Amino acid sequence: MDKPVAAKSGPASDARPPRAPRPPRPNYRQIHQFPLPVNVHHVPPVIPHNPLSLISVALSYLTFLISPPRQEVYSAYFDKTTSSIHVTDERSINALWQMGFFGKGSLSRSEPSWLAREKKRRGLHNGKTSEEMTRLRRTERRELKLERARMEKLAIEERLKAEAAAREAGVSEPLDQAAQSTPTDDTTNVTAATTEKFSLKKAKEARMLEEKKARELAAQNAALAEQNQPETSSNNKSVRFSPIVQKKEFLSTSPSSLQLPDSVVDNLDSDDFPNEEHLQLSNEEAFFLAYSLGALQIYDSPSKLGEVQSTSSITTSALLQQFCHHSFQPARDASASLLPDDPFMISYTVYHHFRSLGWVIRSGVKFGTDYLLYNRGPVFSHAEFAVVIIPSYTHPYWSETEERKNYTGEKQARSWWWMHSVSRVQAQVLKSLVVCYVDVPPPAASLDDIGALFGQYKVREFLIKRWIPNRTRD
Amino acid sequence: MADADEDVIHAPANASTQPEVDLSDETQDFRFLNHLNFFADSSPGIPRRGEKDFEPNPTELQADVLAASRGAMHNALSYPRLHGAKTRVIAFYAPDGYVPPAQPDRAKPKAGEDGKSSESTPKPARPLPSSARISPDACVYVPSPKGQFFKTMGQADSSSRVWLLPEEALYLIERGSLDIRWPSPSAGPGEEDLSVPMSLQAAYACFMGRGGLTLERYSVYTGLKRLGYALVRAPGWCDDIEPQDTDIPDASQAAPAKLHGPGLAGILGSLFNWIHDPLSTASTATGPIIGTGIHRHYMDVYRKLAIIPWYDPVTAPERHPFDTSPPFRVVFHIYKPSTPFKKSAPPAPDFRIAVVSTRDQTTMPTMTQLGALLESTPLDPPRGEKMERMMYMRLRHGYRNVVMAVVDQGVVSYLRIADSAFGKEKLYENKGGPQGPKRSRTNQKPRKR
């Protein structure tokens, strides 16, 4: 009787096996010591009572005047067909990721790690990439869950046995208890019988499955194995308590999945292979790097493969126009006029706002929001805040005509159901939901001064959290 | 390790660490009701709820537990609810609303038209409660109030009759704590006992819709009342009073909206920067904003980047409660059960609540509506030693806050909305780095952030 309790409360706290010590993490503090891809040169400190310090300050000024240090400018190209910015230069990729966590590896989840994973796979490199760590952790977790389910199943079976035994004893000797509830006794008898049959059937099924599998393995028929695959997965649910089947399945799939790439790899030079991955920047990140920091130059994509990239980069004002046109799907015509409530304008306003406050802001699409805010960066801490953006039209211009009123009303409408689903998801992943309203100015006359253009927008954040009256009673 | 967001999802569902487990969301195990003793009032503790099974299994144990739970619920529900002779409180319905006591039935001089009779009371030592506080919506009076309910409900007039608002009367009659009588045509002081009791249906018919009481507001009222909160109507109860003038506050709001980026300080800063760094070529027109020269410190870089204006809740003007758009208006002031509450002088409320019906207002508030709602509440900046230490807490607390009860066909969900100014927290000046290392999650005692 103790078992069910242990099985129920166990997995959360004590049933977790002690984890193997993790390999030491790289020194993220050192790798990501610069918050932005901008070079900063500190002035030597001035110490009043030490005249030598003045000289050193003067010297540092002089050296900067004579040979000013060059600000590193990275280059990227804009791919019109996918409306995205690609960085292919290895050094730029590393710099942009390490200083400010810009972009995402096209073949990785976040940090571009395809090369490392590939090297690992070919046995050139040891150490673990984050993707592998996650996979390991997931396997571990799945095994834990299987174990828990097995324990629960065992407890139930034991309980059933005990109950059956008690019933036997009850039937053999005439008891006054039996008289009180014969109909329920009957039903329980029936259910008990069916369950016993059921479990027996299950066991049989499992055995048959194993036999079938063994036969298949002996036959080495790949096609048959593939055919069987959906079948096992559908059976999986009923037989999930047996770890043996799970293992078997794992074994049967693993060689087949590894076989194909290996054969391809063999005829390649394993030492030297090109990095197939590039860094993909979001349009907001690219514009921030280009316009705000001047650390990125963006070129048009080479129209043909092998063609040399155009030598002149896109100017920031042209870039803004292009991004705005590409914020629609399909991209708007290049001649279309710029809207003040263009999705890119609004999202960039928010992006720039939080970047300028020191947050590392990345896409929040994984959690159904527009952005996530990290303190210093994703390698240091979890994101605490998730941001959703809603445009707002408080300027009198937007309520001048009925048409504009309808338009803005439609643009800022968000349903309560949407709000609740977003806020519940954020609570589940332990993030605070920030609803960020962006006040849209009336259409601007000119786009010459980008700074003035963005200066007309205004950002206001509301933090929305579910309030549970039961918990605030004190 | 950018994947770390994902494992948060799989965090152990520990009841103590999970922030959003609302017990009322779950199907309950009613066996705990068995431990309630209805006949002796010596069980002040709230019983513990049982454990929950997630899947049906064929054991008799589970079936027994389920049957016991059902039995307990039926048992609890079948308990006869009676008006005890001792605790019986009788009230009278006054369809015409509050009327000042007409007859000097207790040797009292007749009160004035508006009930201000404090100067004419025979006992000046104990000031009588001012009848002026009695709402014109009050429609039920209790001649001889007794019991704990009247600590937080109703308002007494000069002849110590307690006048109840429609929601208060409805709550009490629904609870079985009040016996409301129809007014008898020949109501004399002695004949009151002969009048006809009002049914619950009649009470709903009479009180719902009276004086701005909607079903949504009533569900919020009873829901919180049952949890022990004290609720009083806020000044913004009446929907009829429209925003006095929407244009003027907009203009006044626009005026103090100073740009936080390039202000006087910004100009001075750029001058200083120019001296500091003569090679700077900063330009916001075409970028780069930070210029191509030498940067001395990341703080300077960040300061130059601040070009987007943001809303500062501290400098924003406070609004009158009527200067808001009706569904988004504070209608109740809420006091925690632990807050010492005095009817005659209610303290500052613990929460302010606005009630919204999703069927009338199908969309979320716009920034104007939400902003007006928050500006009608007093400034409540994050205070305290803990808040000063922890930036996340400061941001979560915000500078003003309000609770919005979103009622969807009787289902109430509460949202706490806070005006958090991210612009006031310059993260780049924060030397300490993130609070709590990421590794803390894997420690024995995980601290959820």
Side-chain angles (χ1 to χ4, degrees):
Chain A
M1 272 323 292
D2 286 338
K3 263 184 180 165
V5 179
K8 224 164 245 170
S9 66
S13 51
D14 47 284
R16 191 176 282 242
R19 269 200 196 155
R22 289 198 177 179
R25 297 199 309 156
N27 187 356
Y28 287 128
R29 227 169 252 280
Q30 178 65 33
I31 296 170
H32 304 285
Q33 57 178 325
F34 303 114
L36 291 173
V38 170
N39 296 342
V40 163
H41 308 276
H42 291 280
V43 187
V46 181
I47 305 155
H49 56 264
N50 185 0
L52 275 178
S53 71
L54 277 176
I55 293 173
S56 78
V57 170
L59 257 175
S60 82
Y61 263 97
L62 258 178
T63 47
F64 287 148
L65 273 176
I66 294 161
S67 63
R70 237 169 45 79
Q71 165 67 46
E72 202 76 51
V73 176
Y74 310 101
S75 56
Y77 70 87
F78 181 67
D79 189 64
K80 276 204 177 70
T81 46
T82 56
S83 298
S84 56
I85 307 287
H86 296 197
V87 183
T88 45
D89 176 35
E90 186 103 9
R91 205 176 45 84
S92 307
I93 290 177
N94 282 337
L96 290 177
W97 173 259
Q98 285 170 8
M99 300 190 253
F101 303 95
F102 291 94
K104 165 196 178 295
S106 60
L107 299 175
S108 310
R109 196 176 40 221
S110 151
E111 182 184 356
S113 65
W114 179 83
L115 198 65
R117 271 180 291 148
E118 190 62 17
K119 276 184 182 165
K120 169 88 195 311
R121 207 176 60 76
R122 298 181 189 201
L124 296 175
H125 170 73
N126 45 5
K128 276 181 181 144
T129 56
S130 53
E131 277 86 351
E132 283 164 333
M133 304 263 272
T134 314
R135 203 177 308 132
L136 261 178
R137 203 168 42 232
R138 282 185 184 153
T139 333
E140 207 173 88
R141 207 172 279 137
R142 197 175 57 217
E143 272 164 17
L144 252 174
K145 278 185 185 164
L146 281 171
E147 177 66 20
R148 183 179 59 188
R150 210 173 54 78
M151 293 292 286
E152 273 174 24
K153 169 87 180 157
L154 258 177
I156 288 173
E157 266 169 12
E158 220 154 89
R159 174 79 210 165
L160 272 175
K161 247 182 245 163
E163 276 171 10
R167 211 177 301 117
E168 289 284 305
V171 166
S172 63
E173 50 195 77
L175 265 176
D176 47 346
Q177 284 174 356
Q180 67 172 29
S181 59
T182 33
T184 52
D185 237 27
D186 270 352
T187 51
T188 45
N189 258 332
V190 170
T191 51
T194 50
T195 51
E196 262 169 318
K197 243 193 281 168
F198 186 50
S199 58
L200 211 71
K201 210 173 94 192
K202 255 193 227 169
K204 248 184 227 163
E205 260 178 21
R207 199 173 299 151
M208 270 173 68
L209 210 73
E210 268 177 55
E211 278 170 12
K212 207 158 85 186
K213 284 218 159 208
R215 250 185 286 126
E216 275 162 16
L217 277 172
Q220 290 283 340
N221 197 333
L224 203 73
E226 263 185 30
Q227 241 176 21
N228 193 40
Q229 206 54 38
E231 202 186 320
T232 48
S233 64
S234 65
N235 277 337
N236 215 1
K237 205 166 180 182
S238 56
V239 202
R240 66 190 173 136
F241 306 111
S242 151
I244 309 145
V245 176
Q246 202 74 20
K247 220 186 263 170
K248 275 241 156 87
E249 187 188 34
F250 182 66
L251 281 174
S252 67
T253 54
S254 50
S256 65
S257 67
L258 284 176
Q259 219 113 50
L260 200 79
D262 272 349
S263 57
V264 176
V265 166
D266 281 344
N267 48 25
L268 258 173
D269 188 5
S270 59
D271 276 1
D272 184 38
F273 55 93
N275 190 354
E276 299 287 349
E277 188 172 31
H278 63 258
L279 187 77
Q280 186 180 329
L281 296 173
S282 77
N283 291 358
E284 288 82 11
E285 285 172 328
F287 192 69
F288 180 78
L289 287 168
Y291 160 70
S292 300
L293 301 183
L296 189 73
Q297 283 188 329
I298 297 167
Y299 299 90
D300 265 328
S301 60
S303 47
K304 271 184 219 155
L305 212 74
E307 192 182 307
V308 189
Q309 277 187 5
S310 54
T311 42
S312 63
S313 64
I314 310 173
T315 62
T316 44
S317 50
L319 201 61
L320 181 64
Q321 296 233 3
Q322 202 158 25
F323 283 157
C324 283
H325 293 143
H326 278 272
S327 65
F328 291 91
Q329 189 63 260
R332 293 169 80 218
D333 190 38
S335 60
S337 65
L338 219 62
L339 300 169
D341 62 342
D342 190 286
F344 177 77
M345 295 297 280
I346 292 171
S347 62
Y348 181 72
T349 305
V350 174
Y351 185 88
H352 188 106
H353 172 66
F354 285 113
R355 266 286 175 190
S356 72
L357 289 169
W359 294 95
V360 170
I361 174 167
R362 293 177 60 80
S363 164
V365 76
K366 274 195 262 181
F367 301 108
T369 61
D370 291 305
Y371 286 122
L372 292 178
L373 300 184
Y374 289 93
N375 191 347
R376 290 182 69 203
V379 302
F380 296 107
S381 59
H382 292 288
E384 169 62 28
F385 297 103
V387 183
V388 292
I389 304 171
I390 302 179
S392 160
Y393 303 83
T394 53
H395 195 275
Y397 167 84
W398 294 108
S399 46
E400 266 169 17
T401 65
E402 204 58 34
E403 194 188 345
R404 278 181 210 158
K405 266 189 199 163
N406 290 339
Y407 170 78
T408 58
E410 214 171 278
K411 281 271 181 183
Q412 46 192 341
R414 297 286 185 282
S415 76
W416 291 111
W417 291 268
W418 171 83
M419 177 72 233
H420 282 134
S421 42
V422 170
S423 90
R424 291 304 289 256
V425 168
Q426 300 322 308
Q428 198 59 41
V429 295
L430 307 175
K431 312 231 175 302
S432 308
L433 176 64
V434 180
V435 175
C436 192
Y437 285 93
V438 179
D439 205 359
V440 179
S446 79
L447 301 171
D448 297 339
D449 191 343
I450 299 172
L453 195 65
F454 281 110
Q456 290 176 303
Y457 290 79
K458 197 172 177 187
V459 173
R460 182 168 183 181
E461 304 100 350
F462 292 103
L463 226 131
I464 298 192
K465 189 177 186 289
R466 220 171 132 232
W467 185 63
I468 302 167
N470 250 330
R471 288 176 172 266
T472 52
R473 296 172 74 243
D474 287 1
Chain B
M1 284 307 296
D3 57 292
D5 309 316
E6 288 180 1
D7 16 332
V8 180
I9 308 167
H10 308 291
N14 224 339
S16 56
T17 52
Q18 196 77 283
E20 291 278 328
V21 175
D22 186 359
L23 282 174
S24 57
D25 281 353
E26 294 176 1
T27 319
Q28 291 168 18
D29 181 0
F30 290 101
R31 277 178 301 163
F32 73 91
L33 292 172
N34 274 338
H35 308 301
L36 273 183
N37 195 346
F38 291 102
F39 302 98
D41 46 3
S42 59
S43 58
I46 295 169
R48 258 192 73 240
R49 289 175 213 240
E51 220 170 82
K52 188 165 133 183
D53 272 339
F54 287 94
E55 278 178 10
N57 63 47
T59 57
E60 271 178 53
L61 176 72
Q62 201 188 37
D64 288 348
V65 166
L66 198 60
S69 173
R70 279 201 199 107
M73 183 172 66
H74 286 300
N75 188 30
L77 289 178
S78 62
Y79 174 72
R81 302 199 294 165
L82 303 167
H83 287 277
K86 257 193 225 164
T87 55
R88 185 182 202 182
V89 180
I90 292 178
F92 293 92
Y93 175 44
D96 300 327
Y98 170 64
V99 275
Q103 305 97 342
D105 51 346
R106 270 162 225 172
K108 234 176 249 173
K110 195 185 169 202
E113 293 97 71
D114 56 351
K116 278 205 190 292
S117 57
S118 49
E119 68 275 0
S120 56
T121 42
K123 283 189 283 180
R126 182 183 148 270
L128 274 173
S130 160
S131 313
R133 213 184 294 116
I134 294 173
S135 158
D137 296 330
C139 59
V140 169
Y141 66 91
V142 185
S144 52
K146 54 191 171 193
Q148 44 147 348
F149 290 109
F150 297 101
K151 271 184 204 155
T152 56
M153 293 163 109
Q155 287 297 339
D157 68 1
S158 53
S159 59
S160 70
R161 300 183 303 183
V162 169
W163 285 83
L164 294 174
L165 289 166
E167 66 267 23
E168 295 171 334
L170 202 50
Y171 169 72
L172 286 177
I173 195 173
E174 202 167 41
R175 222 191 152 279
S177 310
L178 193 69
D179 183 0
I180 303 181
R181 300 296 170 96
W182 289 101
S184 50
S186 59
E191 292 166 88
E192 277 176 341
D193 280 349
L194 301 173
S195 49
V196 184
M198 188 186 254
S199 68
L200 185 62
Q201 288 87 340
Y204 262 92
C206 287
F207 302 138
M208 202 51 74
R210 191 188 173 101
L213 180 68
T214 60
L215 203 55
E216 285 80 29
R217 286 176 180 182
Y218 181 66
S219 356
V220 170
Y221 181 86
T222 46
L224 293 175
K225 198 81 194 161
R226 271 188 231 118
L227 288 172
Y229 289 91
L231 285 92
V232 294
R233 283 187 182 184
W237 175 270
C238 288
D239 277 350
D240 311 332
I241 304 162
E242 286 297 311
Q244 284 142 349
D245 202 346
T246 44
D247 294 331
I248 291 165
D250 274 351
S252 70
Q253 194 199 0
K258 46 177 188 161
L259 307 183
H260 286 267
L264 181 65
I267 293 165
L268 277 178
S270 65
L271 185 70
F272 178 74
N273 278 336
W274 186 80
I275 296 165
H276 192 68
D277 174 16
L279 288 182
S280 172
T281 51
S283 141
T284 59
T286 55
I289 300 176
I290 60 161
T292 51
I294 304 153
H295 308 293
R296 292 299 180 189
H297 202 282
Y298 279 111
M299 285 221 211
D300 301 334
V301 174
Y302 278 116
R303 265 180 221 125
K304 279 186 203 164
L305 284 177
I307 59 161
I308 309 281
W310 44 273
Y311 171 88
D312 188 347
V314 176
T315 57
E318 211 147 291
R319 282 174 188 246
H320 193 266
F322 294 135
D323 193 14
T324 50
S325 44
F328 304 107
R329 191 179 269 184
V330 174
V331 292
F332 284 121
H333 286 172
I334 306 176
Y335 302 87
K336 290 179 188 176
S338 55
T339 306
F341 180 75
K342 215 176 143 201
K343 259 197 310 190
S344 54
D350 293 317
F351 306 101
R352 293 171 179 80
I353 199 161
V355 179
V356 184
S357 161
T358 54
R359 303 292 155 149
D360 302 334
Q361 168 75 37
T362 54
T363 56
M364 269 186 71
T366 62
M367 188 179 88
T368 324
Q369 292 168 327
L370 201 55
L373 173 64
L374 275 161
E375 278 155 24
S376 71
T377 66
L379 199 63
D380 178 22
R383 273 193 216 94
E385 183 263 333
K386 213 175 169 188
M387 291 276 189
E388 259 159 44
R389 211 157 21 89
M390 295 159 100
M391 182 194 60
Y392 289 165
M393 263 185 91
R394 275 200 304 274
L395 284 171
R396 276 195 295 253
H397 182 273
Y399 284 82
R400 293 169 200 274
N401 59 75
V402 76
V403 175
M404 195 146 70
V406 184
V407 187
D408 180 20
Q409 305 260 290
V411 178
V412 190
S413 40
Y414 300 95
L415 297 172
R416 181 188 185 272
I417 300 173
D419 218 342
S420 63
F422 276 72
K424 288 182 104 65
E425 304 288 345
K426 307 270 189 274
L427 188 67
Y428 56 85
E429 288 171 359
N430 194 356
K431 289 262 193 281
Q435 292 113 323
K438 195 174 187 175
R439 288 297 108 194
S440 71
R441 200 167 41 77
T442 52
N443 288 352
Q444 277 306 91
K445 268 196 112 180
R447 190 178 135 259
K448 291 275 165 264
R449 283 182 296 110

